[in-house]
Amino acid sequence: MADNLYIQCAEALALAQSMKDDLAALLHPETGLAPKFRQLCRNQIEELENTVSYEDVSEEMELLRLEENTWALLQAVMPARKTETSNVEYAQDLLQQNPYTPTATIAQAILNASPVLTELIVVREWLQETAPSPMQPEATTGYWKFTKHSIMQALRTGSGARTGLVKELDPDAVNRGDGCSLAADDSSYEKGFVQALYGYIRAGRLEDGIELCKRAHQPWRATSIRGSLLLHWKAIANEHILDEVDDPEDDDAWTGNPNRRLWKSTCTHAALNTALADYERVLYAALAPSPRTSLILKSACRTWEDHLWAQISIMCEEKQTMEMSRLGGSFWEGGMVAVEKGTRTVSREKMEEEEEEWEEEVRGTLDGLKSVHVEEGPPADHPFHFSQLNIIQDRTGFLLQVFAEGLQSHSVQTNSYEYAPMCRFFAHLCLFLKMIDVAVPPDAVVVILEAYLQVLEAAGQRDLIAMYAGALGENAVSRYALFLVSLELSADLSERRLALTRAKEHGLDVDSVAAVTAEMTMNKALELLPALRGPLPSMTVLQPPASDAENFFLRSIEWTTFSEATYDRALEQANHICRYFLATGRVQLAQQLLNMLPTELAAVGEPEEQATEYLHYRQFFSIWETLERIVECQALGVSDMNRDTRSAWLQDYKLLIDQGQEQIIKLLTSEWLVSDVENTDGDARRRALIRIRQIYIPELVIRLHFTLFASRHQFPKNIKLLLQLVNVVADSRYKLYEDFCSDNGARLDDYLGAVRRAILGGLEGGGSDPFRVVVA
């Protein structure tokens, strides 16, 4: 049977490889690669159930079930990760427009604005889909029929109610604290019935649970379950576009619970009420999960999946509650008081910051499930549970690395019953992730695929070995590139060149190796370097020496400058490195980079966008060098110079100032790096370029201003040039004010203060007209 599974997996993989450029087909919910692997596992389980006694294959079937569920998880989370999110409408905007927006619409907006919450909801749905079928309570012909019979019998005979038996049949009869209970049969049925309801909630089948309550003649329980539904009311939800299947006459109808906040509070109190039976408390804790009821809910968790579902349910519900509480302004959450108080207004940046903080909390909470104790089923540290947790946390690269290291260290025992199935799963996981363009560690992939090749050989599947060996593809290049990356800073330029040339001995394309090595080096360095975020760096603070990570990043350019064939890669790579260093205020390192580059790089014209960006950096550093020369020249002007020396010095000084002024004005009046600077949206490259402008446009303006101001005594007309510079900055055609408005306008305040001092400086020669220097 296992032999058939090897063949079937290979056939599914071959079909997927034939459409590897069609992402939609690979991720199709029914015919994609992950659903096919899942179905193969399901077919194998059914085949084992029908042909072999369960005791003989229980471990194999458990592994197949876990693998089946893991492929289902991959199909659940991967499509969203590979799809770009569209523009979303934020909940605060909805409430500001309409404080009566139904809670379902607000919750959906909160969900759309939070990728982490969206994914947690998807994971919860996966856990519900793969949950065991709920237990079915025994059929009943009436409501508490045995208790009812005893009470009616006592009334007919006049003998009085049986001691310890309730005297009424309302739902709260057993909770009045008088020690009375139901008849034994009814009490047993009630416990099984409520546990079945919990099973339906655990499986996400609320409607089936509601139907069960109706059949059991307990409609109030159906109402309690239905109370979890959010209010949906299209007529007041600002939803102007109706689906074709919708009936416009139903717009005024509403569903869900308009008092859900009160309902949740009631459920929480019930879950915390020690007078209630434990199974009742668990039911209410499952209906309204929260940190307060977490202990109650987790007491019902038997398997690792139960614990994961409980924790994710708590986080999802708490996130929704927290966001609605933060927002305020909703009539359905706080009544007219909330409407009058209004909605909280925060910037998108603050929202992103709060989202990042919550994401860290989620990650830490999920990490706690690595060691949670389980009563039934595989433990928390089972390989598939470890895999599922890392897939949920988007750590697939780390997951593959851990498994590969286990193979290399032999901590994964080759003679265990888990070895072959785990190698099969991880080999296909590697190939699946590569096909959908998810980054995977190449060396780990090679180790895993090589282990699976050994499994296939041991299983006699020689016809399949060529197929999986071919899947290694260009990983030979990647493997050698990893070796070159490992040289890090220990090898000098000549040693690197020699190591790269040796690639020919392995039949590898040297240019490909160089390009891959450069990319890997950059990626590794960027993992060590801080991200481009936070306040703009100060250009007045003395910069520390380059760190090892910065030098590692800087020297990554060497790999693509050995050969002219990789100059196009070098151009893009040089821009990337220079962009990072300038955006972090490391001007000297960026300048060092440009000095390392071959002069022929400036002649590379394609792609035009990269060539233009490179020329703009050259333009900037030409100005930077001129400013440094001005400072050096200014320092040479001492008071005891003779006339000829002073005349020569003044001539050089003026020439440099004029050159710097001309260069800076040319840069300011051109579209340097970015054209539409007022549009701050875009990809990471564009955001970095805008950040560079926000650092260096004000810096160049202020440096030129002080250069002109400091030289006013030697060259009085520089005051006029200084004020003309003010006009350039204020000219709306160049949009330079956009670059001054970052960091709460601190640089703008600095510049305006300098302009004020310059105006006063124009009066040093006498007079009271501050504009005299402009028209002089």
Side-chain angles (χ1 to χ4, degrees):
M1 293 183 185
D3 292 345
N4 291 336
L5 188 56
Y6 290 131
I7 297 171
Q8 292 165 356
C9 287
E11 291 173 347
L13 180 62
L15 179 60
Q17 288 175 334
S18 67
M19 53 184 182
K20 61 182 180 180
D21 295 328
D22 189 349
L23 184 62
L26 291 171
L27 295 175
H28 192 278
E30 295 178 359
T31 59
L33 185 56
K36 283 184 178 178
F37 285 143
R38 179 187 186 187
Q39 187 59 47
L40 290 176
C41 294
R42 170 48 43 191
N43 294 343
Q44 187 76 2
I45 291 172
E46 292 174 354
E47 189 175 347
L48 289 171
E49 288 175 340
N50 296 331
T51 58
V52 185
S53 63
Y54 178 79
E55 290 76 12
D56 296 335
V57 293
S58 59
E59 292 179 339
E60 182 180 352
M61 288 177 63
E62 183 65 26
L63 271 180
L64 285 168
R65 182 189 67 80
L66 289 169
E67 183 178 355
E68 174 195 8
N69 291 345
T70 307
W71 284 115
L73 172 62
L74 285 162
Q75 179 56 38
V77 300
M78 283 303 173
R81 290 178 184 173
K82 298 302 296 180
T83 304
E84 293 186 4
T85 57
S86 56
N87 293 330
V88 298
E89 190 169 13
Y90 291 92
Q92 73 173 22
D93 298 335
L94 292 175
L95 285 171
Q96 286 171 353
Q97 296 168 13
N98 177 12
Y100 299 96
T101 301
T103 51
T105 306
I106 300 172
Q108 186 61 48
I110 293 171
L111 180 66
N112 294 340
S114 174
V116 179
L117 179 59
T118 300
E119 194 152 292
L120 287 179
I121 294 293
V122 169
V123 174
R124 185 176 66 180
E125 291 173 352
W126 162 73
L127 287 164
Q128 292 169 345
E129 178 193 355
T130 56
S133 298
M135 298 182 300
Q136 293 296 324
E138 59 188 56
T140 180
T141 57
Y143 167 61
W144 291 352
K145 61 179 182 179
F146 295 104
T147 305
K148 178 181 178 182
H149 176 75
S150 297
I151 293 175
M152 296 302 294
Q153 179 69 17
L155 290 174
R156 281 195 299 269
T157 60
S159 59
R162 199 173 69 198
T163 304
L165 197 67
V166 297
K167 298 178 177 59
E168 295 89 8
L169 294 178
D170 61 281
D172 294 323
V174 295
N175 301 319
R176 292 201 169 92
D178 54 5
C180 296
S181 62
L182 302 177
D185 289 338
D186 287 336
S187 181
S188 176
Y189 172 81
E190 191 73 6
K191 180 178 181 180
F193 170 68
V194 174
Q195 289 175 339
L197 288 181
Y198 168 78
Y200 279 110
I201 295 171
R202 166 70 179 85
R205 296 164 55 182
L206 296 186
E207 290 300 327
D208 291 340
I210 290 171
E211 187 60 32
L212 179 64
C213 293
K214 293 177 180 178
R215 293 199 305 269
H217 310 287
Q218 297 193 24
W220 63 88
R221 290 197 186 276
T223 302
S224 295
I225 296 174
R226 199 179 293 277
S228 64
L229 302 178
L230 293 161
L231 175 64
H232 179 78
W233 195 346
K234 185 173 291 187
I236 62 172
N238 295 337
E239 297 179 8
H240 305 298
I241 302 176
L242 304 180
D243 296 333
E244 293 181 3
V245 298
D246 288 346
D247 184 354
E249 295 182 0
D250 292 339
D251 284 359
D252 291 333
W254 58 270
T255 58
N257 187 356
N259 296 308
R260 191 176 185 278
R261 185 176 180 181
L262 177 61
W263 167 88
K264 182 179 179 180
S265 175
T266 305
C267 287
T268 300
H269 283 299
L272 298 175
N273 186 358
T274 56
L276 295 180
D278 288 344
Y279 55 84
E280 289 273 7
R281 298 174 66 192
V282 167
L283 177 66
Y284 288 112
L287 283 171
S290 70
R292 293 180 62 195
T293 61
S294 61
L295 291 178
I296 308 301
L297 181 57
K298 291 176 183 177
S299 67
C301 296
R302 315 299 298 172
T303 66
W304 183 83
E305 289 84 358
D306 289 341
H307 282 280
L308 179 60
W309 169 81
Q311 194 60 67
I312 288 181
S313 296
I314 291 168
M315 288 190 292
C316 291
E317 182 69 26
E318 190 64 14
K319 172 67 171 176
Q320 176 184 296
T321 302
M322 177 180 67
E323 289 298 327
M324 287 191 174
S325 176
R326 278 179 177 174
L327 285 168
S330 171
F331 172 79
W332 307 107
E333 288 291 299
M336 288 305 299
V337 174
V339 174
E340 292 170 358
K341 188 175 180 180
T343 305
R344 173 193 187 221
T345 302
V346 294
S347 64
R348 298 291 183 256
E349 292 75 12
K350 180 64 175 176
M351 289 183 183
E352 292 175 0
E353 182 182 331
E354 292 174 349
E355 179 71 9
E356 289 176 1
E357 291 176 359
W358 185 64
E359 183 177 358
E360 286 301 316
E361 292 180 13
V362 169
R363 193 177 296 277
T365 302
L366 291 177
D367 282 340
L369 293 170
K370 293 177 180 178
S371 57
V372 68
H373 175 71
V374 298
E375 299 290 337
E376 300 173 4
D381 59 355
H382 188 279
F384 272 117
H385 286 163
F386 181 79
S387 301
Q388 291 166 1
L389 195 58
N390 280 282
I391 290 168
I392 293 169
Q393 295 180 291
D394 199 12
R395 293 175 175 172
T396 50
F398 169 76
L399 170 63
L400 298 179
Q401 193 69 47
V402 169
F403 186 71
E405 290 172 359
L407 292 172
Q408 291 176 311
S409 64
H410 304 292
S411 60
V412 180
Q413 299 298 323
T414 57
N415 57 354
S416 70
Y417 74 94
E418 295 177 339
Y419 182 76
M422 294 306 301
C423 285
R424 181 187 65 237
F425 167 75
F426 274 100
H428 291 102
L429 175 62
C430 291
L431 299 174
F432 170 66
L433 294 175
K434 289 181 66 176
M435 274 190 271
I436 63 174
D437 198 25
V438 172
V440 293
D443 198 40
V445 172
V446 170
V447 172
I448 292 169
L449 288 178
E450 287 178 349
Y452 187 53
L453 288 172
Q454 294 173 8
V455 169
L456 290 175
E457 189 172 1
Q461 299 294 329
R462 298 185 181 274
D463 293 341
L464 304 180
I465 290 176
M467 175 183 178
Y468 286 93
L472 291 171
E474 296 180 354
N475 273 334
V477 172
S478 300
R479 291 175 73 184
Y480 193 70
L482 279 174
F483 161 71
L484 297 179
V485 173
S486 69
L487 296 177
E488 295 189 347
L489 301 176
S490 62
D492 59 22
L493 186 63
S494 60
E495 291 173 327
R496 288 187 174 208
R497 186 190 296 272
L498 179 60
L500 182 60
T501 305
R502 286 176 181 158
K504 289 183 179 180
E505 300 173 8
H506 303 278
L508 303 176
D509 182 82
V510 174
D511 295 335
S512 297
V513 172
V516 173
T517 305
E519 183 178 357
M520 287 183 175
T521 305
M522 288 182 62
N523 291 338
K524 184 176 180 180
L526 287 171
E527 290 177 1
L528 302 173
L529 293 169
L532 292 180
R533 61 177 60 162
L536 302 180
S538 172
M539 301 308 298
T540 60
V541 177
L542 182 63
Q543 293 292 309
S547 65
D548 287 344
E550 288 174 327
N551 280 324
F552 189 46
F553 191 41
L554 176 66
R555 293 191 59 189
S556 68
I557 194 64
E558 294 174 351
W559 298 113
T560 51
T561 54
F562 289 135
S563 169
E564 291 184 7
T566 54
Y567 277 3
D568 56 339
R569 294 288 187 93
L571 178 65
E572 183 176 351
Q573 185 184 358
N575 284 339
H576 193 160
I577 298 172
C578 193
R579 193 184 311 134
Y580 178 85
F581 283 145
L582 287 178
T584 53
R586 305 290 272 163
V587 181
Q588 292 81 2
L589 291 177
Q591 200 165 12
Q592 184 180 344
L593 168 71
L594 264 64
N595 293 334
M596 294 168 58
L597 299 175
T599 55
E600 295 84 356
L601 205 62
V604 178
E606 295 293 337
E608 183 180 353
E609 183 182 54
Q610 295 293 337
T612 303
E613 182 180 349
Y614 179 68
L615 292 177
H616 283 174
Y617 292 140
R618 285 289 185 188
Q619 179 187 11
F620 170 77
F621 281 107
S622 177
I623 296 172
W624 201 261
E625 290 173 2
T626 301
L627 292 174
E628 289 177 344
R629 290 169 61 195
I630 291 173
V631 173
E632 293 171 359
C633 184
Q634 183 183 15
L636 297 176
V638 293
S639 58
D640 57 351
M641 288 189 294
N642 60 43
R643 178 178 299 177
D644 292 338
T645 304
R646 181 172 181 80
S647 176
W649 172 75
L650 286 173
Q651 185 178 357
D652 292 342
Y653 191 24
K654 186 176 190 311
L655 182 63
L656 286 172
I657 291 175
D658 290 344
Q659 180 183 345
Q661 192 260 352
E662 180 182 349
Q663 289 177 319
I664 292 175
I665 292 297
K666 182 178 179 181
L667 182 143
L668 296 178
T669 55
S670 64
E671 294 178 342
W672 186 63
L673 293 180
V674 181
S675 55
D676 50 341
V677 295
E678 70 279 5
N679 182 10
T680 57
D681 296 329
D683 56 15
R685 174 181 174 273
R686 176 180 170 78
R687 292 195 298 272
L689 293 176
I690 291 175
R691 181 182 175 91
I692 292 171
R693 281 187 60 99
Q694 291 172 347
I695 297 170
Y696 297 102
I697 290 292
E699 185 67 23
L700 292 178
V701 169
I702 292 174
R703 287 198 179 198
L704 177 57
H705 174 95
F706 281 114
T707 297
L708 295 172
F709 185 69
S711 61
R712 68 190 185 282
H713 297 302
Q714 291 85 7
F715 315 111
K717 288 188 177 181
N718 281 0
I719 286 287
K720 182 177 181 178
L721 295 177
L722 181 152
L723 296 177
Q724 289 174 351
L725 174 63
V726 176
N727 290 334
V728 172
V729 174
D731 196 325
S732 61
R733 291 176 298 174
Y734 311 128
K735 302 174 183 177
L736 300 176
Y737 50 81
E738 296 287 348
D739 302 308
F740 277 88
C741 291
S742 59
D743 280 0
N744 298 319
R747 298 313 306 272
L748 183 60
D749 292 341
D750 294 341
Y751 182 52
L752 292 177
V755 171
R756 179 179 178 276
R757 289 191 294 274
I759 295 294
L760 296 176
L763 302 177
E764 290 174 347
S768 60
D769 183 4
F771 298 102
R772 177 175 57 84
V773 294
V774 179
V775 297

